[in-house]
Amino acid sequence: MNSSNIGPVEKVNLRERVAHALRAAVISGEMEPGVVYSAPSLGARFGVSATPVREAMLDLVRENLVVIVPNKGFRVTEVSERDLDEMAQLRMLIEPPIVRDVASVIPEHDFEGLRGLAQRIVDGAEAGDLVEYTEADRLFHLALLGYADNARMVDLVSDLRAHTRLYGLASLLEKGELVPVAREHLAIVDALRSRDAARAEELLRAHISQTRGRWAKPS
């Protein structure tokens, strides 16, 4: 695991800080799928006792990032390449057409907030904060879908995203390629604000398609 995300944690808001670092490690692939991690071993890595680590890992269980292995610890959820392909296909079927359809109904006064969310994604990338990047990205995409006024669809896409793993995040960050990816969201907002539905759909379709390749598990 890369020590850039996992290291000693100050005993201030300990559970939250441990959960933040663990989440980043799972999302980026630093904690490997299928591997069982014990609370004591992770606690030693953090320089804390096993208790706050165990509490933080239970948060991740609720988020479907890890599962409990009785008497051993926690195993990072495995997601196959086929699973990732299928989830990307479903997102491609749902999100671009919806964004095209909602381009004409987004209130003008909402664009400041949407652009703020898109900027949060960029800020997370620039700061190297993988958790902030991922959370802002999730909020942005679900916010766009929300304008279709279909709660079941939003829940479906939210669930798809919860089961996705962004294996290539750390690599993109190291190569300086994560910020350009993040800025694609600003371009989508600009197209929507111009009421260019076809352009917004095109940008989002390209974003999802390219994202699947970027997030592929390293060979």
Side-chain angles (χ1 to χ4, degrees):
M1 291 182 290
N2 190 320
S3 60
S4 63
N5 281 324
I6 295 186
V9 177
E10 295 179 8
K11 296 181 179 179
V12 178
N13 298 320
L14 190 56
R15 175 174 176 165
E16 291 81 1
R17 292 173 66 86
V18 171
H20 181 93
L22 286 170
R23 197 174 288 112
V26 172
I27 290 169
S28 66
E30 292 175 17
M31 288 177 63
E32 299 177 18
V35 175
V36 176
Y37 296 90
S38 71
S41 66
L42 289 171
R45 183 84 182 197
F46 283 113
V48 299
S49 71
T51 299
V53 173
R54 190 174 292 109
E55 292 173 346
M57 290 297 273
L58 290 175
D59 290 340
L60 270 62
V61 169
R62 287 188 284 272
E63 296 169 18
N64 300 314
L65 292 175
V66 300
V67 295
I68 297 172
V69 180
N71 303 316
K72 292 185 178 180
F74 301 87
R75 184 177 67 243
V76 177
T77 306
E78 292 192 73
V79 181
S80 71
E81 290 297 302
R82 179 172 179 175
D83 288 335
L84 293 173
D85 286 340
E86 290 176 351
M87 287 186 279
Q89 289 169 2
L90 286 170
R91 287 189 62 196
M92 190 73 82
L93 288 171
I94 297 169
E95 294 187 51
I98 291 298
V99 165
R100 177 196 63 215
D101 292 345
V102 303
S104 62
V105 302
I106 300 175
E108 183 64 29
H109 57 74
D110 281 10
F111 283 110
E112 183 176 351
L114 288 172
R115 190 167 185 84
L117 274 178
Q119 186 60 49
R120 271 186 63 186
I121 303 171
V122 176
D123 292 345
E126 290 178 339
D129 188 335
L130 302 183
V131 171
E132 171 64 10
Y133 178 95
T134 305
E135 176 62 8
D137 181 70
R138 182 185 72 85
L139 292 172
F140 176 82
H141 285 272
L142 296 184
L144 293 183
L145 294 177
Y147 290 104
D149 196 24
N150 186 328
R152 289 182 183 274
M153 179 188 61
V154 174
D155 288 344
L156 172 60
V157 174
S158 180
D159 184 66
L160 289 172
R161 295 179 64 90
H163 289 84
T164 298
R165 294 294 177 269
L166 309 181
Y167 296 117
L169 271 180
S171 176
L172 288 177
L173 184 61
E174 291 172 2
K175 293 187 290 187
E177 297 177 3
L178 191 58
V179 172
V181 172
R183 287 179 176 149
E184 293 173 4
H185 300 85
L186 293 170
I188 292 170
V189 174
D190 290 342
L192 289 169
R193 192 161 201 168
S194 299
R195 307 299 179 179
D196 190 339
R199 178 61 175 161
E201 179 184 14
E202 176 188 8
L203 288 170
L204 184 53
R205 192 175 297 279
H207 175 71
I208 294 173
S209 177
Q210 293 168 13
T211 292
R212 175 63 190 102
R214 293 167 180 145
W215 298 162
K217 186 182 297 185
S219 57

